[in-house]
Amino acid sequence: MKKLRLLLFGFILLLAYSCAKQSTPTGGPRDEDAPILISSDPVTESLNTKPETITLTFDEYIKLENPSKGIVITPRIAKDEVEFTTLKNVVTIKLNQELEDSTTYVFDFQKSVVDISEENPAENLKLVFSTGSAIDSISLSGKVNFYFPGSKPDFKDVLVGIYPLGDTTDVLTAPPYYLSQVDTAGNFRISNIKNGKYMAYAWKDANGTLKAEFKSEEYDFSLDTLVLNQNLENLNFNLSKADITPIRILRTATFGQNFDVIVNRTPASTTVENDLLGEEYFFSNTDGRIRIYSKNPKPDSIPFQINVTDSLGFSKDTLVWAKFPESERKPEKLTVSANSGKNFYRNLEVELKFNKPLKSISTDSLYISYDSASIIPVKESMMSYSDSSMRDILKILVTIPDSLSQEIFTLKAADSTFTDTENQKNETALLANYRKLKREGLADEIAGTIQGANPPFIVQLLNTKNEIAQEQFLEDTNSYSFKMVEPGTFKIRVIEDLNGNQRWDPSNFTQRKLAERVFYFVNTERQATLVIRSGWSLQDQNIQASDPTGLRKD
């Protein structure tokens, strides 16, 4: 009898615990209904209210998903002081701060409120109220684009924000006064804005700080001052990265028999000047380190004028006195890499990269083989350096006659073929294979015009790996043409090279200079890819320039 009472008591406790425990129901149909808001305090669109606490009641048990990031509150408040809690079907928000007078506040919950069973988010959940006698109703809308998207543009965490004109903060220093999350198509809309003048920004907020990190996040800014006394539409942004840290020389020091100049970031261009540069002295430029080499030790310091310029246009000029002492430090080994695996038609273009400047090349052991017994010697007339004062990139151009039907051509360089300025030789032999394409296997041409922009342009034919298959610089024409194209699937990218320096220049926030425009071919079905087969010729593949950053001028 005692055992029976104990068993009965245990069963009652277990039953009570099961009834009290809140959990996801098992069995039955899947809950696909989103939570529905039953009531809120204050009621949405209330006037003359300054709540200290906000409550929202739903028709089912709910929870909050990352509310500090997912709930967008405009205009700007001290969000780190706000407390978010949930209990059963009620969300409570303690503001812990005084709200501004005569201001419309919007709490956009996006997908932060979800039901507790299947995590279905509440839809279109917003709470709007005013601390004054009217609801601000002005809106700002537009679209965000990426200049260099991945395989598919990712608009997750992309924000658009505006700051009152005269505000001492901006997108790089503090969260905006008003902001909006961009949708999956890149569209945005900021509503309930107070009448006034504003500056606008867009950025990918990967780390959730509600401001842009200029060293790691893509961002953009409008040069227009937005006068918001009525609804404004068609504001465009084009996101790209732009590190605005000014370039500078950090230090100089000897390294063995060489001399190093260390820069805080990799320059876009480097100039080293000395009367004997390219004869007695050479330099390399790798990852922010400029290393000057001398053929022989020098007892005296040697002057070099150095200019480094970054992609934003910041530059630094300095005179350094380099020392090239005798040194017992063992020189770095000479290494070489080739652009092996490239396909070609008629003109075989070999590129060899060295870690140090070359002093000499033994052409006796440098040749191209195309079968077990036949070779093409590489002559000095076939070779050139990309920069004669650096001599670390060697280009070899060989025209292969049509009479040679072989498919694979191999560049061979025996060990000790190359000697650098420190008298180090390549210790291993080099083999690099290249495949000759047949004329009948190539497409004839992809051609068209660029519309809505003016040259100069950089036009790039990109393969499926986003690698540049062909590139053209158009200085004074809007027409492009890629000939003898290997069959495949491609994209065409155009850079509006405004200053004609034959590279893309990013934005410069401190100088209020926008990035050079980048846009892509899109066909009539809004597809961004081109498929071309052998023997094909695709004409009239016209490219329409995308909208620049700012308000669209209709």
Side-chain angles (χ1 to χ4, degrees), residues 181-446:
Q181 174 79 47
V182 172
D183 68 18
T184 55
N187 301 304
F188 72 90
R189 179 182 176 85
I190 305 175
S191 58
N192 301 105
I193 304 172
K194 183 184 294 187
N195 188 316
K197 297 180 179 180
Y198 298 87
M199 302 303 296
Y201 306 84
W203 69 101
K204 188 170 180 63
D205 188 31
N207 61 0
T209 61
L210 299 183
K211 60 187 181 70
E213 307 295 334
F214 64 83
K215 289 186 178 181
S216 59
E217 295 177 343
E218 295 143 305
Y219 64 95
D220 194 18
F221 49 93
S222 174
L223 298 179
D224 301 311
T225 297
L226 305 181
V227 181
L228 293 178
N229 51 23
Q230 60 181 355
N231 295 344
L232 276 184
E233 300 176 346
N234 299 323
L235 177 61
N236 297 299
F237 291 101
N238 298 285
L239 303 187
S240 60
K241 291 183 179 180
D243 185 350
I244 59 173
T245 305
I247 196 166
R248 64 183 187 277
I249 293 173
L250 299 177
R251 63 184 184 277
T252 60
T254 57
F255 183 85
Q257 189 179 302
N258 310 310
F259 188 80
D260 283 355
V261 180
I262 308 299
V263 185
N264 66 321
R265 50 190 301 202
T266 302
S269 64
T270 302
T271 303
V272 178
E273 296 180 0
N274 179 281
D275 290 342
L276 296 178
L277 192 70
E279 299 174 16
E280 181 67 24
Y281 306 108
F282 304 90
F283 76 96
S284 64
N285 186 7
T286 307
D287 296 331
R289 184 201 67 193
I290 303 166
R291 178 164 290 172
I292 305 175
Y293 297 84
S294 174
K295 284 186 175 180
N296 303 290
K298 298 290 187 295
D300 301 319
S301 296
I302 309 299
F304 290 86
Q305 187 70 38
I306 295 178
N307 174 273
V308 288
T309 303
D310 64 19
S311 58
L312 299 177
F314 293 124
S315 64
K316 179 68 177 178
D317 260 310
T318 189
L319 177 68
V320 300
W321 291 84
K323 297 181 179 181
F324 304 98
E326 295 276 2
S327 176
E328 296 181 358
R329 186 186 186 105
K330 188 176 181 180
E332 185 181 4
K333 291 182 179 181
L334 176 65
T335 62
V336 55
S337 61
N339 61 337
S340 184
K342 294 291 185 180
N343 299 334
F344 72 96
Y345 173 68
R346 286 187 178 169
N347 293 324
L348 170 55
E349 298 179 2
V350 176
E351 183 175 278
L352 304 181
K353 292 184 179 181
F354 301 86
N355 63 324
K356 294 188 286 182
L358 292 186
K359 182 170 72 174
S360 62
I361 301 171
S362 175
T363 55
D364 293 340
S365 56
L366 182 62
Y367 56 91
I368 292 169
S369 69
Y370 52 90
D371 62 32
S372 58
S374 303
I375 66 169
I376 301 173
V378 175
K379 302 176 182 178
E380 288 190 9
S381 60
M382 301 175 179
M383 298 186 294
S384 63
Y385 290 105
S386 292
D387 188 324
S388 61
S389 61
M390 298 178 72
R391 297 179 69 142
D392 59 350
I393 299 178
L394 177 67
K395 293 182 179 291
I396 301 172
L397 177 61
V398 183
T399 299
I400 306 298
D402 291 337
S403 58
L404 295 181
S405 59
Q406 285 79 2
E407 182 180 3
I408 302 300
F409 289 76
T410 303
L411 175 77
K412 295 185 177 181
D415 61 277
S416 302
T417 297
F418 307 105
T419 304
D420 66 30
T421 54
E422 295 182 295
N423 294 315
Q424 300 296 298
K425 300 178 184 295
N426 60 302
E427 295 181 353
T428 59
L430 174 68
L431 294 176
N433 292 321
Y434 302 87
R435 185 166 67 96
K436 184 174 184 254
L437 302 173
K438 295 181 180 180
R439 174 64 185 87
E440 59 268 23
L442 298 176
D444 292 340
E445 185 180 27
I446 301 174

Side-chain angles (χ1 to χ4, degrees), residues 87-155:
L87 179 62
K88 296 182 179 179
N89 64 331
V90 177
V91 173
T92 302
I93 305 172
K94 292 184 179 180
L95 299 177
N96 297 318
Q97 58 199 285
E98 182 77 14
L99 299 181
E100 296 181 21
D101 294 331
S102 301
T103 301
T104 298
Y105 285 88
V106 179
F107 285 68
D108 186 346
F109 292 83
Q110 300 189 94
K111 298 182 183 299
S112 292
V113 177
V114 300
D115 64 44
I116 205 165
S117 57
E118 296 292 345
E119 298 189 349
N120 300 306
E123 298 175 354
N124 303 316
L125 181 58
K126 281 187 179 182
L127 177 65
V128 182
F129 62 86
S130 176
T131 59
S133 58
I135 296 288
D136 295 321
S137 59
I138 295 174
S139 67
L140 173 68
S141 60
K143 188 171 179 61
V144 177
N145 175 52
F146 286 92
Y147 274 155
F148 300 97
S151 56
K152 183 179 180 181
D154 179 12
F155 293 103

